[in-house]
């Protein structure tokens, strides 16, 4: 079964800083990797996904995938207090119809 | 379009009680998932339905947890009997086609269960 690990567990940065979140997974044949954002008392919401090696940029978000090192990272540029949330990495394994989630990174952006 | 609707948002139960959580998926979605979320374990899959057929029932959660999909727009999760260790947030999610490359999950806001 796919294993997903995230680091750090928590992160506090000042407003405007660049944020980097990490995720490692166990199967290089994983089909897709997703990042979800979860605010307190709410369900997770999909932010961005990546399927191929390399990077993908959407607005202030950039995600990098390196299948050889089984690693994906999410970078948030010009962080805002509203970015404060838990960020979950989710991986869909080869042939799987389900997502396996990491335990998340708690991000706090200080004004 | 309405998102995923979960009720109740909060439930307090005594140990040994039966509780039923409800979920209405996004209209037209084929896949429905029930997850349990705790700080220690994170998100754990309880059950997975595709077009109302049970595809996975979460192994370790089989004995006291039963999810049903009564029709394509309504699902329930029954916990019987409840134990204090069941205290968690229960999340329902749906997807148009998770197996597809672009498939993503849409989550409800969750039902927070406290078992005394």
């Amino acid at each position: 079964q796919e294993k997903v690990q995230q680091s750090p567990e928590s992160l506090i940065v000042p407003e405007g800083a660049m944020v980097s979140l990490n995720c490692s997974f166990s199967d290089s044949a994983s089909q897709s990797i997703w990042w979800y954002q979860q605010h307190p008392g709410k369900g997770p919401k999909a932010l961005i996904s990546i399927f191929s090696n390399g990077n993908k940029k959407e607005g202030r978000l950039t995600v990098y995938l390196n299948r050889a090192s089984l690693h994906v990272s999410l970078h948030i540029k010009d962080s805002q207090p509203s970015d404060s949330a838990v960020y979950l990495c989710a991986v869909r394994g080869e042939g799987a119809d389900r997502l396996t989630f990491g335990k998340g990174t708690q991000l706090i952006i200080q004004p | 379009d309405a998102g995923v609707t979960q009720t109740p948002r909060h439930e307090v139960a005594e140990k040994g009680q039966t509780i039923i959580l409800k979920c209405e998926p996004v209209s037209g979605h084929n896949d429905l998932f029930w997850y349990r979320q705790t700080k220690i374990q994170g998100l754990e899959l309880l059950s997975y339905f595709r077009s109302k057929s049970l595809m996975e029932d979460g192994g370790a959660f089989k004995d006291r947890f039963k999810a049903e999909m009564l029709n394509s727009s309504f699902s329930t999760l029954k916990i019987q009997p409840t134990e204090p260790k069941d205290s968690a947030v229960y999340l329902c999610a749906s997807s148009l086609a998770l197996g597809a490359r672009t498939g993503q999950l849409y989550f409800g806001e969750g039902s927070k269960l406290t078992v005394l």
Side-chain angles (χ1 to χ4, degrees), chain A residues 1 96-98, chain B residues 32-34 45-50 53-59 62 67:
Chain A
Q1 184 177 339
D97 289 334
R98 49 129 92 193
Chain B
L32 185 138
F33 299 81
W34 282 99
L45 181 67
L46 300 174
S47 292
Y48 159 41
F49 294 87
R50 165 156 291 173
S53 296
L54 182 63
M55 306 299 289
E56 190 166 343
D57 65 359
K62 274 184 192 177

Side-chain angles (χ1 to χ4, degrees), chain A:
Chain A
Q1 184 177 339
E2 184 81 58
K3 287 182 171 44
V4 180
Q5 293 199 310
Q6 293 186 240
S7 64
E9 283 188 18
S10 63
L11 185 61
I12 302 173
V13 301
E15 183 176 355
M18 170 74 87
V19 171
S20 296
L21 308 177
N22 299 297
C23 174
S24 60
F25 52 96
S26 57
D27 182 2
S28 63
S30 295
Q31 294 299 294
S32 57
I33 294 98
W34 290 83
W35 286 93
Y36 282 74
Q37 180 192 56
Q38 186 176 21
H39 285 109
K42 304 290 187 182
K45 180 181 174 185
L47 278 182
I48 190 169
S49 61
I50 190 164
F51 315 108
S52 306
N53 248 357
N55 64 72
K56 178 179 177 181
K57 187 171 186 289
E58 287 186 0
R60 296 187 294 114
L61 305 178
T62 303
V63 59
Y64 294 91
L65 173 60
N66 184 327
R67 287 190 185 278
S69 62
L70 302 176
H71 183 263
V72 61
S73 58
L74 173 68
H75 304 264
I76 306 173
K77 181 183 169 184
D78 187 24
S79 55
Q80 305 294 311
S82 57
D83 295 329
S84 296
V86 172
Y87 289 80
L88 299 164
C89 175
V91 177
R92 185 169 74 82
E94 186 179 23
D97 289 334
R98 49 129 92 193
L99 289 178
T100 299
F101 285 84
K103 293 185 181 179
T105 293
Q106 172 77 62
L107 174 64
I108 297 173
I109 308 296
Q110 289 184 328

Side-chain angles (χ1 to χ4, degrees), chain B residues 71-90:
Chain B
N71 56 55
S72 61
S73 58
F74 186 70
S75 176
T76 58
L77 175 67
K78 181 192 285 188
I79 309 176
Q80 178 184 35
T82 51
E83 298 181 7
K85 65 181 179 180
D86 299 332
S87 297
V89 175
Y90 291 82

Side-chain angles (χ1 to χ4, degrees), chain B residues 21-70:
Chain B
L21 306 177
K22 305 178 184 72
C23 174
E24 296 173 38
V26 175
S27 177
H29 280 189
N30 300 318
D31 297 338
L32 185 138
F33 299 81
W34 282 99
Y35 284 93
R36 183 171 81 171
Q37 186 175 38
T38 61
K39 280 192 166 38
I40 295 173
Q41 298 294 338
L43 277 157
E44 299 172 283
L45 181 67
L46 300 174
S47 292
Y48 159 41
F49 294 87
R50 165 156 291 173
S51 300
K52 299 189 295 179
S53 296
L54 182 63
M55 306 299 289
E56 190 166 343
D57 65 359
F61 297 96
K62 274 184 192 177
D63 58 345
R64 296 182 299 107
F65 292 74
K66 184 176 173 64
E68 291 185 307
M69 191 128 193
L70 305 177

